[in-house]
Amino acid sequence: MAGEDLIVQFQQLGMSEQKAKETLKNANVTKNLQLALAETKLPLPDGAGMLLYHMASKLKPQIAGQLPLLVKYIVERKLDNTQRVDAALEYLLKLGQKKNATVDVAELERECGVGVVVTPEEIERIVQQKIKGSYKEILLEQRYHFNSFKIMQEVRNELKWADAKSLKSAIDVEIFDLLGPKTEADLKPLPKQTDKQPKANAKTEVKAAAATETDGANTIAELMKTKVHFHAPGENYKTDGYVVTEHTEQLLRDHLKATGGRVQTRFPPEPNGILHIGHAKAININFGYAAAHDGACYLRYDDTNPEKEEEKFFIAIREMVEWLGYKPCKITYSSDNFQQLYDWAVVLIKKNLAYVCHQKADELKGFNPPPSPWRERPIEESLILFEDMRRGKIDEGAATLRLKLTLEEGKVDPVAYRIKFIAHHRTGAAWCIYPTYDYTHCLCDSIEQITHSLCTKEFQSRRSSYYWLCNALNIYCPVQWEYGRLNMNYALVSKRKIAKLITEHIVHDWDDPRLFTLTALRRRGFPAEAINNFCAQMGVTGAQISVDPAMLEAAVRDVLNVSAPRRLIVLEPLKVTISNYPHKAAVELEVPNFPQNPELGTHKITLDRVLYIERSDFKEEPEKGYRRLSPQQSVGLRHAGLVISVEQVVRDPVTGDIVELICSSKSAEEAEKPKAFVQWVSQPIQLEVRLYEQLFKHKNPEDPNEVPGGFLSDISADSMSVLCAYADRSLKGVKVYDKFQFERIGFFSVDPDTNGSHIVFNRTVGLKEDAGKK
Amino acid sequence: MSTGLITELNKLNSLERVAKELHTKVQYSTRKELSPYVEGDDTVVKLLNENAKLKHRLAIINQAIADEKKNMSPETDSDNTLLIMDHLEKIFSAAIAEAYPLYSKTPVIIAAVNNVSAKFGDYQCNNAMGLAKKMKEAGISISPRDIATEIKRCCPASPLIDKIEVAGAGFVNVFLSKQHAVSALTTMLRDGISPPNVPKKRILVDFSSPNIAKQMHVGHLRSTIIGESICRLLEFLQHDVLRINHLGDWGTQFGMLIAHLEDRFPNFINESPPIGDLQAFYKESKKRFDDDEHFKKRAYQHVVTLQAGDPKSIKAWQLICDVSRQEFQKIYNRLDVTIEERGESFYQSRMLSVVEFLRSKNLLEHDDGREIMWPNVNKTGIPLTIVKSDGGFTYDTSDMAAIRHRIEEECVNWIIYVVDSGQSTHFNSIFEAAQRCGIANPNEHRIDHVQFGVVLGEDGKKFKTRSGDTVKLSDLLDEGMKCSLKQLQDRGRDQILTPQELSDAQESVAYGCIKYADLCHNRISDYVFSFEKMLDDRGNTAVYLLYTYSRICSIARSSGEDFSNPAKILDAFNIVLDHEKEWKLAKTLLKFFDIIIKCSSGLYLHFLCEFCYEVCTAFTEFYDSCYCIEKDKTGKIVKVNHSRILLCEATAAVLRQCFKILGLKPVAKI
């Protein structure tokens, strides 16, 4: 049918032309609608057209076969509102758990409330009862800011099939009765709430509207509760593409029994490298989703490839998960299941679903590898050869076990096992055949009774093989959900390439703060909370996201702003002697940790006749608009209550460099209000301060189009500089990872290199976004 | 000040880094571990990796061996109810040990009872008489019959045995259980014929071994046929079998061949010489060698250059070998023989080292310029010539090098030489010498010389052509093809069979009868080669067996039902052995496993041939008296006896397995 014709037909269903055109763009809905139209004759009874559209857009592939029944019921007005249509869809979907189940019409009608009529009087009665009962007080208090949706829901509980429109107007009438016309105050938006309300759905409409604009949320918990719509445990069959077999119903029942209906997720890193910012998203989604639903999340080391695994990676991964604030319900290893996986492989061979192949790895490369000449070999033969593989009788590379299955992307017969004469760090010399990711992953998920197998979009094409394998073995089949990968611009995450940076002495180690590994971010001073919030802001959509580090830095600032106490530090000190120092000796001043929030504590700093200011805060020949110290212009000393003016500039007799300023001071009350206040220190201690800049010049240093010379040619010259700064003595006892805002400079964190008197700080981020650039 | 400080700090940092690296390097080098700092040396890293892999593989394989040993524990062995003789021996050995503990070591005597006297049971234990005699010598007087009765009483129960009776003077007669036979046949049909469980060995079979530049003749035929069948038999028993062709490719004859090649085809390096008839070429050069002194000298010189590895000589040698090799391969293809070439030349370097080895053990003695070795300490028999007076080596040297390679490098624990009886002295010396110098250990290595007699013509003399030449093997095979076709035509088969079926039958009969005629006699005796006899369709011949087999196959075919999957039929029908001939055929079939063991222990294949014949005879008796398919007068099928057709199928399966070992290719239509 031509597009034009369809648009006309769609309009006859009650759509606007615009809507009809939009609908046409959605192939799935269009197909369903076409099928629906084929089932019936136009014109349709009033409203049925849009219900057909509603049904067509919500119909899942599992129950596509039930379309004629649905159309019939809609046209006959048995399903006469969206609520009933939704109920019918839900009922049929639930039925789909059983393979080839027949529809019990009576039950369907009961579930959908076919023929149930709710009179306006009934609605009025219940609405009155609710509003005059439990809601009266809160309504009188919050008036029209109260979200009446809550009342609607409660009425619905009692009058399931009440018409939405009548219900809404009945509530509006009752509220009007109670409160009278809206006052001016009712029309104003509410002031922003500072604290979160205990009940999420009691939030103001204003707030709710703001949140729906993006896919992200402020925190992971919020994201997982409000933005993510995965299936409920045990309702696997309701998801798109889930394959129902005759065992599904029983398996799901057993699964629910085993888990008690608990949400179970897992974070399954390969222990062959260091975690980076991309992993933070996976950690947050898996642990966060489980936490938000009172579920459990496993940390599973996917250690099926013995070649690259090292003990240190295991420890580092766990440490990073814990650093991000998550606790695995259990730590598991794919290798724990080697025997089970092997036994299942034998089952697959016996079912003629897998075979031993001798094609070489080279032969299988490229787009159109030749089909395996061993595909149809006798089962017996494969069994013997597979046993030979296990017993070390066959050379590495001379045989693999392959599954009889074609992946969506066209890859034929993926490899399930390969021979590697390498000891495994956990199983030692027990095995010389190791399972592949494709084979292991879904089976381990099944063993662990995972409810939601969350993975990145690249694995979408493996979903059918995932389901195929579980079903081939008649074991519980989890649901795979995909989300888009998080890529960080200007960052390099490949393990091999980072290693290269280290051996080339471009960075110092895996946790060099210029990198985007999680250890590097921690060392640089990024709070875990900020990383988590950043992930929450990115959301759990299917789109692959590439963001600039600035986004992450902004999240870091948000957290540090309210958590990092302020300190006075000068990075490049210039000595200042106050000629008329008002005190006899050094004095201690009490200074607030957070000047905007004095109740959050204070610390003491020392003021003396000799002090140091930032060299850049003095200019002999100031340009126009310059606000700080110059021979002609005085400046305030922050927190000291003094304003200083230059009396004399002392120079090095040889170089002519300025070495000291002799200044006079006035108390702040006496002096004219200076244009600016600067930070200073007296009787300072020395700090080593490391400043970091972006390591790479280009967004995608690995992209040969952007950087033809390879990532090593893209290194910025001065990505790290070291300064010897002066700080007040109050910083003497800092501990590693303590974080501060150095006033007017930026946020800094104590580096692990700190020992005893030698204190090292890393600059985490500048105070403003552009501070770190140019 | 600050800039200076920064550079200083940076310097210090990098110095610290260097120090750290050096420190780790030092640590690694003292620990002698795989260090990341040998990265520069790729070969070292590669070798270290390879070494780690080999170690891992070794651990895996050792584990697998340990597992296998566990699985081969004696309990599983004794469970082997396929071997009836073996089982009965165990039963009676236990019975004798219980009845007369003093005589528990007495070897058990079990005999299969000739089928005619069915009332005497199927097997007999005949120990009672011997025991009575021994006891009498010891002063105890018990009658054999009483002893037999006591043995009977002490026999443990067995699923194989229906009943035991004492008969006559003191025979213990064993009647097999039909129930067991039914279940054994059912398993056979369902799962195929699996070999009896025996300890697995690594075996090298040295057979065929023709000489380069010479034709294969009937002498090689016997070694090839017997060797191939021995390999198949041992492979059926799941041994790890190496089939080795010890080609004569390194003798002095190559000197003259190379010299002659140089003269005839001076450009042979660049252009392959067209030596189609290598024999003629050999004869020509031999003549020159015998007549021409100068040529003879050159020939000897070439032996030296060849053995020294001179490229030109090697090239010439390879060319000559290739011609022969192609000829041999044609024969092997026709006879369906698989063999791996490992000629004498292969042992050149090993001959050097075996001489060193023997010298170092002080086993070589100088004798008139030669270095000889006595095969035993007593210095009896004929000594082996290890080094000739001109410094060259002999067959003795290469055979010593070969046996050492086989045991020490190939790690075999059983070597079988299939060579004619004429060489038994030589091989006995080699075997003795191998033991004397410590290469072979009689407790670990079994070494057999599988001897065979010569092939005689119908005149009872050595098989020759009419002109008195040795018979060329290819001619003989051609002749066989002709005779077999003629025989098929005489029987009018060319009218019935399609051209393809006819040609299959012709080959099957021709090569089958040549192999079978060789195998069906005790190999030690000489045998008379006669196409007429071997193509006879009566008596113990390949033709009879093949005909019977095709008849058995036709039964299931003509039943109008599909018997290709016996398991399916067995789901609906049981095997019944009520008729006397059914029972007899069944018992015959079940002897198969005992026969296989008997053949493999002495490496005699004629037992298997006799068994085939026995099966075919029992089948004919069965078929003559038992209807498998009943038809009415119009030829319409009235009744199909599924049990009997299953019995036919079991017979066919057993024969097929025997044929496979004997190298016979059964055809469904003949």
Side-chain angles (χ1 to χ4, degrees):
Chain A
M1 214 184 291
E4 293 295 316
D5 289 348
L6 273 177
I7 290 174
V8 173
Q9 288 204 347
F10 285 0
Q11 279 175 282
Q12 277 175 297
L13 293 176
M15 286 185 216
S16 66
E17 191 182 343
Q18 180 64 24
K19 180 89 182 164
K21 279 180 180 166
E22 264 172 39
T23 305
L24 205 58
K25 285 182 195 156
N26 186 327
N28 207 21
V29 177
T30 303
K31 196 190 95 206
N32 286 340
L33 270 178
Q34 272 179 284
L35 289 171
L37 283 166
E39 288 290 325
T40 179
K41 273 195 204 100
L42 292 168
L44 294 169
D46 221 17
M50 286 319 283
L51 285 178
L52 282 183
Y53 168 76
H54 180 80
M55 180 274 291
S57 61
K58 291 207 160 174
L59 189 72
K60 294 208 169 179
Q62 292 96 308
I63 54 167
Q66 305 289 3
L67 183 129
L69 180 76
L70 288 163
V71 172
K72 184 166 154 262
Y73 268 68
I74 291 172
V75 175
E76 287 173 1
R77 306 302 286 152
K78 281 185 179 165
L79 302 176
D80 57 354
N81 58 30
T82 52
Q83 231 190 320
R84 288 203 166 94
V85 172
D86 286 345
L89 289 168
E90 177 74 18
Y91 171 76
L92 292 172
L93 202 50
K94 193 156 189 181
L95 209 60
Q97 184 179 11
K98 213 177 277 172
K99 202 176 165 91
N100 303 325
T102 47
V103 180
D104 178 343
V105 176
E107 201 182 338
L108 170 68
E109 295 192 354
R110 201 161 51 244
E111 287 289 319
C112 304
V114 170
V116 176
V117 181
V118 183
T119 61
E121 289 75 27
E122 254 178 294
I123 296 177
E124 203 184 312
R125 188 174 58 82
I126 302 287
V127 168
Q128 277 182 359
Q129 188 191 322
K130 292 289 164 200
I131 289 185
K132 293 196 172 142
S134 43
Y135 286 98
K136 191 170 177 183
E137 232 165 86
I138 194 160
L139 270 170
L140 286 173
E141 187 200 331
Q142 295 190 6
R143 293 183 61 83
Y144 285 98
H145 289 300
F146 183 75
N147 187 357
S148 61
F149 184 72
K150 204 164 190 286
I151 305 172
M152 193 149 155
Q153 268 188 323
E154 211 165 288
V155 177
R156 265 278 153 78
N157 286 343
E158 289 181 38
L159 296 174
K160 199 170 172 194
W161 303 110
D163 178 60
K165 246 188 218 163
S166 332
L167 183 55
K168 177 82 171 91
S169 54
I171 292 173
D172 286 349
V173 168
E174 286 304 320
I175 293 181
F176 187 82
D177 270 3
L178 185 72
L179 302 177
K182 286 187 181 176
T183 64
E184 211 168 297
D186 290 334
L187 297 170
K188 267 191 208 155
L190 273 186
K192 271 207 170 174
Q193 283 158 309
T194 41
D195 290 327
K196 255 183 256 164
Q197 294 203 336
K199 282 177 190 167
N201 42 11
K203 269 184 197 163
T204 63
E205 274 169 324
V206 180
K207 181 100 182 187
T212 44
E213 277 166 21
T214 64
D215 298 318
N218 292 323
T219 64
I220 287 291
E222 185 190 326
L223 179 78
M224 292 303 167
K225 282 189 176 131
T226 62
K227 292 292 151 62
V228 175
H229 306 287
F230 296 147
H231 69 281
E235 295 190 346
N236 300 21
Y237 57 91
K238 289 189 181 174
T239 58
D240 287 350
Y242 196 77
V243 182
V244 173
T245 71
E246 60 262 43
H247 303 285
T248 302
E249 197 185 7
Q250 183 60 43
L251 288 169
L252 287 177
R253 210 177 299 139
D254 296 345
H255 161 69
L256 283 177
K257 212 189 264 169
T259 61
R262 184 169 76 159
V263 165
Q264 300 201 153
T265 59
R266 80 290 169 274
F267 171 58
E270 281 185 65
N272 63 3
I274 296 275
L275 298 186
H276 54 73
I277 183 71
H279 290 114
K281 182 170 179 182
I283 293 173
N284 271 298
I285 289 177
N286 279 298
F287 282 95
Y289 188 74
H293 295 86
D294 296 323
C297 182
Y298 291 91
L299 168 59
R300 183 200 310 149
Y301 293 112
D302 195 17
D303 57 349
T304 58
N305 187 349
E307 248 157 321
K308 297 166 185 163
E309 289 158 12
E310 286 176 47
E311 188 63 29
K312 65 172 183 190
F313 294 134
F314 284 83
I315 297 165
I317 287 170
R318 183 179 172 175
E319 203 180 304
M320 283 304 107
V321 169
E322 284 169 357
W323 175 59
L324 289 180
Y326 294 111
K327 187 160 170 38
C329 72
K330 194 177 168 197
I331 293 178
T332 60
Y333 300 82
S334 293
S335 58
D336 288 347
N337 300 318
F338 275 173
Q339 186 60 45
Q340 176 67 75
L341 294 173
Y342 174 81
D343 293 343
W344 275 335
V346 172
V347 171
L348 288 172
I349 298 173
K350 285 185 178 162
K351 287 187 162 189
N352 202 13
L353 296 173
Y355 62 98
V356 172
C357 174
H358 305 289
Q359 278 175 308
K360 299 271 178 293
D362 283 346
E363 284 178 76
L364 296 178
K365 277 180 187 155
F367 282 110
N368 255 329
S372 171
W374 287 277
R375 198 173 202 271
E376 300 307 330
R377 79 186 330 159
I379 291 172
E380 270 308 307
E381 202 172 288
S382 281
L383 281 174
I384 293 169
L385 286 168
F386 190 49
E387 175 74 357
D388 286 352
M389 283 168 69
R390 184 177 71 83
R391 292 179 147 200
K393 288 194 191 172
I394 302 181
D395 283 341
E396 225 176 76
T400 55
L401 185 75
R402 295 176 70 184
L403 305 172
K404 290 194 178 179
L405 157 78
T406 303
L407 300 180
E408 282 103 323
E409 70 209 37
K411 189 175 172 191
V412 177
D413 294 359
V415 171
Y417 270 91
R418 57 262 199 268
I419 301 170
K420 285 187 179 176
F421 292 112
I422 301 173
H424 188 276
H425 76 106
R426 281 177 67 81
T427 61
W431 296 92
C432 66
I433 51 170
Y434 293 100
T436 57
Y437 173 87
D438 279 338
Y439 180 72
T440 312
H441 189 71
C442 54
L443 300 182
C444 287
D445 277 355
S446 178
I447 290 170
E448 288 173 5
Q449 302 276 356
I450 298 302
T451 55
H452 300 75
S453 177
L454 309 171
C455 60
T456 52
K457 202 85 180 162
E458 302 92 274
F459 294 102
Q460 197 168 30
S461 66
R462 310 287 175 85
R463 201 205 287 166
S464 69
S465 81
Y466 185 115
Y467 292 171
W468 179 89
L469 249 177
C470 291
N471 287 332
L473 291 163
N474 283 334
I475 54 174
Y476 161 70
C477 179
V479 177
Q480 175 174 315
W481 289 95
E482 301 94 6
Y483 57 87
R485 222 166 75 163
L486 171 62
N487 285 344
M488 184 64 73
N489 294 331
Y490 302 100
L492 195 73
V493 292
S494 140
K495 183 191 154 213
R496 203 171 42 81
K497 288 177 181 166
I498 294 179
K500 187 83 185 158
L501 290 178
I502 296 170
T503 51
E504 294 288 319
H505 298 308
I506 291 165
V507 298
H508 292 147
D509 207 341
W510 291 93
D511 62 352
D512 187 296
R514 287 165 290 183
L515 297 172
F516 284 85
T517 61
L518 291 180
T519 46
L521 297 181
R522 176 174 65 174
R523 186 164 183 183
R524 189 165 150 195
F526 283 25
E529 188 192 351
I531 293 173
N532 295 349
N533 291 348
F534 166 72
C535 291
Q537 285 160 20
M538 297 297 109
V540 190
T541 60
Q544 176 172 321
I545 309 171
S546 287
V547 290
D548 280 352
M551 274 285 277
L552 175 57
E553 287 171 7
V556 170
R557 267 183 218 106
D558 285 346
V559 171
L560 290 180
N561 228 346
V562 295
S563 63
R566 274 51 171 177
R567 289 293 185 272
L568 300 183
I569 257 86
V570 291
L571 293 180
E572 289 179 79
L574 175 62
K575 188 176 176 188
V576 172
T577 306
I578 299 176
S579 53
N580 60 343
Y581 179 62
H583 308 284
K584 281 190 180 141
V587 288
E588 281 204 329
L589 306 173
E590 183 123 345
V591 174
N593 288 334
F594 294 89
Q596 295 91 337
N597 224 346
E599 67 270 26
L600 292 176
T602 59
H603 60 281
K604 287 188 172 140
I605 61 172
T606 308
L607 173 66
D608 204 348
R609 217 165 76 87
V610 174
L611 51 84
Y612 300 86
I613 63 166
E614 202 69 65
R615 188 166 281 271
S616 58
D617 283 339
F618 170 71
K619 277 205 171 126
E620 279 193 289
E621 288 154 19
E623 68 275 6
K624 213 175 165 223
Y626 179 76
R627 302 168 72 86
R628 288 158 288 157
L629 189 62
S630 75
Q632 294 78 36
Q633 185 167 283
S634 53
V635 78
L637 295 179
R638 190 128 168 88
H639 301 309
L642 291 179
V643 176
I644 54 169
S645 315
V646 178
E647 285 183 335
Q648 188 196 338
V649 177
V650 184
R651 292 170 192 280
D652 185 307
V654 183
T655 61
D657 289 346
I658 301 170
V659 292
E660 187 183 350
L661 300 175
I662 311 288
C663 293
S664 64
S665 72
K666 282 185 183 169
S667 81
E669 292 91 55
E670 292 168 24
E672 203 180 313
K673 192 169 189 282
K675 281 188 177 154
F677 284 87
V678 298
Q679 80 275 22
W680 54 271
V681 291
S682 277
Q683 298 184 358
I685 54 167
Q686 280 196 7
L687 301 179
E688 181 185 333
V689 171
R690 297 174 184 169
L691 304 179
Y692 299 100
E693 304 292 341
Q694 226 151 253
L695 187 57
F696 294 101
K697 294 181 208 151
H698 291 86
K699 245 185 187 176
N700 300 302
E702 294 164 83
D703 180 351
N705 295 325
E706 245 176 81
V707 186
F711 68 97
L712 284 178
S713 70
D714 199 44
I715 308 289
S716 302
D718 321 298
S719 56
M720 173 180 166
S721 46
V722 179
L723 299 174
C724 182
Y726 280 7
D728 190 86
R729 275 179 299 176
S730 66
L731 280 176
K732 216 167 184 177
V734 290
K735 294 190 291 295
V736 172
Y737 300 136
D738 278 355
K739 295 169 178 60
F740 298 95
Q741 187 195 104
F742 293 172
E743 284 195 47
R744 298 186 59 235
I745 305 173
F747 294 101
F748 288 77
S749 169
V750 180
D751 190 89
D753 283 350
T754 299
N755 61 54
S757 58
H758 184 69
I759 298 170
V760 182
F761 268 94
N762 293 317
R763 181 167 67 196
T764 309
V765 284
L767 287 181
K768 291 193 191 108
E769 190 186 322
D770 59 351
K773 285 191 173 178
K774 280 160 207 170
Chain B
M1 159 198 129
S2 60
T3 45
L5 193 79
I6 291 160
T7 34
E8 275 310 304
L9 262 172
N10 281 342
K11 258 190 213 164
L12 270 174
N13 267 340
S14 67
L15 274 175
E16 240 169 65
R17 221 165 37 231
V18 172
K20 230 186 216 169
E21 269 169 34
L22 284 169
H23 180 66
T24 6
K25 267 192 210 182
V26 169
Q27 274 185 328
Y28 272 119
S29 58
T30 47
R31 273 190 290 164
K32 300 226 164 164
E33 272 179 23
L34 171 54
S35 131
Y37 296 103
V38 290
E39 253 167 44
D41 195 345
D42 281 350
T43 40
V44 173
V45 174
K46 237 168 124 185
L47 287 172
L48 282 169
N49 277 339
E50 204 174 311
N51 187 252
K53 285 188 170 201
L54 286 170
K55 277 184 183 161
H56 184 72
R57 189 172 189 177
L58 185 68
I60 294 273
I61 289 175
N62 280 335
Q63 186 56 48
I65 291 169
D67 290 349
E68 200 131 300
K69 275 191 182 146
K70 232 185 276 163
N71 291 338
M72 284 195 326
S73 56
E75 305 101 84
T76 51
D77 254 3
S78 65
D79 244 21
N80 204 345
T81 49
L82 291 178
L83 299 172
I84 298 169
M85 284 288 232
D86 193 58
H87 183 79
L88 294 179
E89 269 171 30
K90 275 182 192 139
I91 286 194
F92 282 102
S93 162
I96 292 170
E98 198 190 325
Y100 304 103
L102 278 177
Y103 299 93
S104 62
K105 294 268 162 66
T106 314
V108 179
I109 307 165
I110 304 282
V113 176
N114 189 344
N115 282 314
V116 183
S117 43
K119 63 170 177 173
F120 294 127
D122 305 309
Y123 290 88
Q124 268 180 353
C125 169
N126 299 336
N127 280 88
M129 283 68 79
L131 280 172
K133 204 176 162 198
K134 267 193 194 163
M135 286 192 230
K136 199 167 190 184
E137 282 162 12
I140 311 164
S141 179
I142 311 180
S143 81
R145 188 156 174 118
D146 289 346
I147 294 176
T149 312
E150 186 60 14
I151 290 175
K152 181 197 156 186
R153 196 186 61 80
C154 293
C155 276
S158 155
L160 264 66
I161 298 172
D162 182 39
K163 58 175 178 180
I164 300 175
E165 284 175 359
V166 174
F171 301 104
V172 184
N173 294 338
V174 178
F175 295 78
L176 290 183
S177 148
K178 276 189 191 169
Q179 204 188 335
H180 175 261
V182 167
S183 87
L185 288 173
T186 306
T187 317
M188 221 185 235
L189 282 168
R190 271 189 194 278
D191 307 337
I193 298 177
S194 44
N197 204 353
V198 295
K200 305 291 174 272
K201 289 191 169 148
R202 186 167 159 83
I203 306 172
L204 187 143
V205 184
D206 174 329
F207 68 105
S208 195
S209 311
N211 290 315
I212 294 287
K214 294 182 191 165
Q215 274 276 9
M216 271 170 105
H217 54 77
V218 287
H220 297 119
L221 179 68
R222 291 214 75 183
S223 172
T224 308
I225 290 173
I226 296 170
E228 172 71 24
S229 280
I230 285 178
C231 291
R232 289 177 181 217
L233 172 69
L234 297 172
E235 278 161 355
F236 174 61
L237 286 168
Q238 297 189 325
H239 293 297
D240 182 10
V241 178
L242 291 168
R243 301 148 163 258
I244 293 299
N245 198 354
H246 192 75
L247 274 183
D249 65 352
W250 206 239
T252 42
Q253 77 267 29
F254 283 100
M256 77 187 190
L257 284 170
I258 293 168
H260 189 52
L261 187 73
E262 267 185 351
D263 297 346
R264 283 279 306 277
F265 307 102
N267 197 21
F268 71 88
I269 289 286
N270 303 314
E271 219 175 281
S272 272
I275 0 173
D277 190 350
L278 200 56
Q279 272 62 51
F281 187 82
Y282 183 87
K283 274 183 194 157
E284 279 170 34
S285 58
K286 179 82 168 100
K287 192 164 183 323
R288 288 181 69 192
F289 184 81
D290 292 341
D291 300 348
D292 181 348
E293 263 314 302
H294 180 66
F295 182 80
K296 197 171 182 172
K297 250 185 214 158
R298 271 181 56 214
Y300 277 128
Q301 209 142 34
H302 275 299
V303 176
V304 179
T305 57
L306 175 64
Q307 297 199 343
D310 164 55
K312 203 177 166 196
S313 303
I314 292 278
K315 171 85 182 170
W317 170 73
Q318 276 169 345
L319 282 171
I320 294 162
C321 288
D322 281 345
V323 177
S324 271
R325 211 172 270 139
Q326 281 165 19
E327 290 299 311
F328 297 156
Q329 197 52 49
K330 276 185 209 156
I331 303 261
Y332 293 141
N333 288 345
R334 291 176 81 171
L335 292 174
D336 194 15
V337 165
T338 312
I339 192 161
E340 189 187 326
E341 178 186 322
R342 195 177 286 164
E344 289 166 343
S345 60
F346 174 86
Y347 301 99
Q348 174 63 22
S349 63
R350 288 172 178 82
M351 285 195 268
L352 297 170
S353 68
V354 86
V355 171
E356 266 322 297
F357 170 77
L358 296 174
R359 251 186 220 136
S360 73
K361 294 208 152 197
N362 280 327
L363 293 170
L364 297 189
E365 288 174 28
H366 288 278
D367 174 75
D368 198 14
R370 304 177 303 162
E371 283 181 77
I372 58 159
M373 174 185 173
W374 289 97
N376 55 46
V377 195
N378 306 326
K379 300 193 180 179
T380 54
I382 304 163
L384 299 173
T385 304
I386 301 296
V387 184
K388 290 196 289 187
S389 51
D390 64 357
F393 299 141
T394 70
Y395 284 128
D396 296 338
T397 329
S398 64
D399 281 333
M400 285 303 287
I403 202 168
R404 183 167 182 231
H405 169 257
R406 288 163 185 187
I407 289 174
E408 292 181 358
E409 290 184 55
E410 287 286 11
C411 302
V412 299
N413 35 33
W414 189 358
I415 311 178
I416 296 167
Y417 291 84
V418 187
V419 185
D420 67 79
S421 307
Q423 305 211 37
S424 68
T425 327
H426 167 70
F427 278 109
N428 282 334
S429 305
I430 294 287
F431 300 162
E432 262 191 284
Q435 266 188 45
R436 186 184 170 202
C437 67
I439 292 170
N441 173 353
N443 296 324
E444 284 174 38
H445 308 112
R446 174 173 168 182
I447 306 176
D448 280 300
H449 175 202
V450 168
Q451 318 180 18
F452 51 83
V454 295
V455 182
L456 303 174
E458 284 177 89
D459 53 2
K461 290 181 186 152
K462 219 173 169 192
F463 196 50
K464 294 256 156 111
T465 58
R466 261 180 225 130
S467 58
D469 290 337
T470 50
V471 179
K472 279 166 61 175
L473 206 44
S474 51
D475 294 348
L476 188 79
L477 297 181
D478 292 344
E479 176 77 13
M481 285 294 276
K482 254 188 244 159
C483 294
S484 117
L485 181 63
K486 188 168 172 298
Q487 200 227 28
L488 287 163
Q489 282 165 342
D490 289 350
R491 298 165 54 102
R493 308 311 287 173
D494 54 333
Q495 306 297 316
I496 297 162
L497 302 177
T498 67
Q500 181 61 48
E501 284 168 347
L502 183 69
S503 122
D504 287 349
Q506 182 196 0
E507 271 192 34
S508 165
V509 168
Y511 301 139
C513 75
I514 292 172
K515 289 180 191 171
Y516 194 77
D518 200 319
L519 296 169
C520 74
H521 298 96
N522 184 332
R523 57 174 162 78
I524 298 193
S525 47
D526 302 342
Y527 90 92
V528 176
F529 194 96
S530 154
F531 276 123
E532 198 189 325
K533 267 192 200 158
M534 54 177 82
L535 286 170
D536 196 341
D537 60 359
R538 291 154 304 162
N540 188 3
T541 66
V543 180
Y544 171 68
L545 300 185
L546 290 168
Y547 276 109
T548 311
Y549 176 80
S550 81
R551 195 156 53 134
I552 299 172
C553 292
S554 72
I555 295 167
R557 252 202 327 264
S558 60
S559 71
E561 290 184 31
D562 180 14
F563 276 84
S564 59
N565 183 5
K568 230 179 179 172
I569 309 284
L570 280 163
D571 289 339
F573 300 93
N574 286 326
I575 296 178
V576 188
L577 302 172
D578 290 342
H579 195 283
E580 175 205 348
K581 297 295 180 192
E582 289 173 338
W583 179 221
K584 184 178 166 188
L585 176 58
K587 283 188 289 189
T588 311
L589 293 177
L590 292 181
K591 282 186 191 167
F592 170 74
F593 304 100
D594 284 327
I595 296 291
I596 288 293
I597 294 301
K598 192 173 173 188
C599 289
S600 69
S601 60
L603 302 172
Y604 288 104
L605 289 154
H606 65 278
F607 296 130
L608 190 60
C609 298
E610 282 163 7
F611 170 71
C612 286
Y613 185 61
E614 195 184 332
V615 168
C616 287
T617 322
F619 175 79
T620 310
E621 281 178 37
F622 153 80
Y623 192 57
D624 287 349
S625 39
C626 300
Y627 281 114
C628 293
I629 302 163
E630 288 175 45
K631 296 181 178 174
D632 64 12
K633 277 178 189 156
T634 60
K636 214 182 118 207
I637 296 171
V638 186
K639 188 187 166 199
V640 173
N641 190 322
H642 290 91
S643 161
R644 287 181 181 164
I645 297 184
L646 285 170
L647 202 51
C648 294
E649 290 299 297
T651 311
V654 168
L655 282 178
R656 239 184 341 260
Q657 186 56 57
C658 297
F659 288 179
K660 196 172 172 198
I661 292 168
L662 297 171
L664 263 56
K665 274 197 182 145
V667 281
K669 283 184 181 176
I670 195 166

